[in-house]
Amino acid sequence: MDVAYSFISLIIFALLTLLAIVLMVYVSSAVAILALLMVPLMCILIMPDTALSFLAFRHVVLAEGNVPINNYHVLMFVWSTLIGIIVYSEIFTWYLGRRETRKVPVKTAKAKPAKNIISSARGIVSKAGSLLHR
């Protein structure tokens, strides 16, 4: 039963993560953060006993029973990771957008006048011939 409950817990957190990522990509980062925070809070308000027993479910006990890992630890991990990704993407988007608006005029190289290849070739041949005839 514990393995099945752990699997169901991980599926619920995966769905919450998928919901937040889809909202971030297709709707807005602000909506993704609101959904990320409001979905668990609404579950606690709508069905408090079920939600609290779900969050208190113990997955693993570490350090000889001194450190339990519950579902609310997993929820905090999911929250911190996704909020970090969302904030990073917003800052990165702002930075790239800021750099596009500040346009620097591009200096163009001045084109050299086209040389007459035949006259320059004759000049080189005549200089070579004068050097050889000295």
Side-chain angles (χ1 to χ4, degrees):
M1 182 66 184
D2 287 342
V3 175
Y5 201 67
S6 295
F7 186 69
I8 291 170
S9 300
L10 294 177
I11 288 176
I12 290 172
F13 287 123
L15 289 175
L16 179 65
T17 303
L18 184 67
L19 173 72
I21 290 174
V22 166
L23 287 175
M24 180 184 78
V25 171
Y26 292 110
V27 180
S28 168
S29 297
V31 173
I33 288 180
L34 282 175
L36 193 63
L37 297 174
M38 293 306 290
V39 167
L41 293 177
M42 291 305 294
C43 287
I44 290 173
L45 289 175
I46 292 171
M47 45 189 177
D49 294 334
T50 307
L52 292 178
S53 66
F54 171 76
L55 289 175
F57 175 73
R58 182 177 298 168
H59 287 281
V60 179
V61 179
L62 303 174
E64 299 174 0
N66 292 328
V67 183
I69 304 294
N70 297 336
N71 268 344
Y72 63 85
H73 293 108
V74 177
L75 179 65
M76 295 299 163
F77 174 74
V78 168
W79 272 351
S80 63
T81 304
L82 289 176
I83 288 174
I85 290 170
I86 291 168
V87 168
Y88 176 79
S89 69
E90 283 297 311
I91 290 173
F92 191 66
T93 304
W94 168 80
Y95 179 73
L96 290 178
R98 184 180 66 93
R99 295 206 32 154
E100 285 181 3
T101 58
R102 188 175 31 155
K103 302 238 178 187
V104 178
V106 178
K107 296 179 182 178
T108 57
K110 295 181 181 178
K112 295 181 180 179
K115 292 184 179 180
N116 189 355
I117 295 175
I118 295 173
S119 65
S120 62
R122 285 184 188 152
I124 291 172
V125 169
S126 66
K127 287 180 185 177
S130 67
L131 287 173
L132 290 174
H133 293 294
R134 282 191 187 177

